[in-house]
Amino acid sequence: TYDIVNDNFLEVWEPLGKYMKAHFKKAGLFLYNVLLKRGLRLFNPFLLIKVQSIYAPNNKANRGKWKHSQVMHFLDVAYSNAQYFNIGLITHMAYELSQNAASVSRLKWEEVDLDAGTIIIRVTRGSKDLITIPLSHDLILMLKEQYKIWGWQEYVVPSPTNVRGTVYPYNFARVTNLFSEIRKVAELPDELKLYDIQHTSIKQMVKAGVNIT
């Protein structure tokens, strides 16, 4: 029973990374404990499922591993395939704007000025303070291409799958799954994660002498 549950668990949730696996294991433990108390199960198989701790002491130390050349290669691969274009754009914006990819994936066209070549973002998550950031020529070109296809609705990077005709941002689990696919196609190391893109960008800015305070 353990082997079956463990293999299925890892097969289904491996693309989501250790954070999502840890949370689903926690939910599984709770569910089976309820079943145990009601006499509907004799054992909780989730007790045997091994998931890497999300609180490993070297988590933060391992952030920011990306090299600039690796980011550029990733973007080249993503932009060269129509099904990966949106994920490439999310990654591109997260890297250039030094922003969290989840926040970038929810940007709206009203926050982008393609003529002026600028974008408006919040200083910090939940903050009311906004700043205007100039965009690079390459990113502007990609945003203009995106606008030709998706400019009719409000989100810069919407999920191609609509719900009853309504378009929504990506479920971020789907973003991480597609990101992993692109990384594999690009033959980049598995330890390079999407959430590291922002930290890499910030470290590179600091190293270049940019004042980010």
Side-chain angles (χ1 to χ4, degrees):
T1 301
Y2 159 66
D3 290 337
I4 294 175
V5 174
N6 193 40
D7 289 345
N8 287 344
F9 179 79
L10 294 178
E11 179 182 352
V12 172
W13 301 118
E14 182 67 27
L16 300 180
K18 62 185 177 183
Y19 286 87
M20 292 301 292
K21 285 192 292 185
H23 290 305
F24 277 109
K25 176 183 177 180
K26 183 178 181 181
L29 285 169
F30 175 80
L31 174 61
Y32 267 79
N33 282 338
V34 172
L35 296 176
L36 285 169
K37 290 179 180 179
R38 296 183 179 182
L40 299 176
R41 289 291 186 277
L42 298 176
F43 175 69
N44 190 336
F46 281 88
L47 290 171
L48 299 177
I49 293 175
K50 297 179 181 180
V51 178
Q52 184 179 356
S53 173
I54 62 175
Y55 304 108
N58 61 348
N59 256 7
K60 293 185 178 180
N62 286 336
R63 288 183 168 179
K65 294 179 179 178
W66 288 81
K67 296 178 181 178
H68 178 74
S69 59
Q70 291 175 320
V71 177
M72 294 300 102
H73 177 57
F74 179 94
L75 295 180
D76 285 341
V77 172
Y79 283 143
S80 65
N81 189 322
Q83 68 172 322
Y84 294 145
F85 187 93
N86 280 359
I87 308 306
L89 188 55
I90 289 173
T91 305
H92 195 165
M93 289 192 291
Y95 183 63
E96 183 166 317
L97 304 174
S98 301
Q99 294 296 304
N100 180 282
S103 300
V104 167
S105 68
R106 296 189 293 270
L107 281 172
K108 297 181 178 181
W109 285 116
E110 65 184 21
E111 298 166 311
V112 180
D113 188 332
L114 292 176
D115 293 327
T118 59
I119 192 167
I120 297 174
I121 62 171
R122 297 189 183 279
V123 176
T124 57
R125 184 181 300 178
S127 170
K128 294 182 179 180
D129 297 326
L130 305 175
I131 57 174
T132 300
I133 299 179
L135 304 173
S136 69
H137 176 71
D138 288 344
L139 183 52
I140 292 173
L141 288 179
M142 294 303 173
L143 285 169
K144 286 183 176 179
E145 288 299 314
Q146 182 77 343
Y147 189 79
K148 292 177 183 178
I149 302 173
W150 294 106
W152 57 271
Q153 51 77 61
E154 62 179 327
Y155 294 103
V156 176
V157 193
S159 171
T161 304
N162 62 68
V163 180
R164 297 178 182 177
T166 301
V167 177
Y168 295 96
Y170 276 93
N171 177 302
F172 201 67
R174 179 59 176 160
V175 173
T176 56
N177 286 347
L178 289 170
F179 179 90
S180 297
E181 287 183 21
I182 301 169
R183 184 185 59 204
K184 184 175 181 179
V185 173
E187 298 182 342
L188 290 168
D190 291 344
E191 61 264 24
L192 297 179
K193 308 297 184 181
L194 178 55
Y195 59 76
D196 286 328
I197 289 288
Q198 178 188 14
H199 301 283
T200 297
S201 176
I202 292 174
K203 285 185 177 181
Q204 290 177 354
M205 291 173 63
V206 171
K207 187 175 181 179
V210 177
N211 186 354
I212 62 173
T213 58

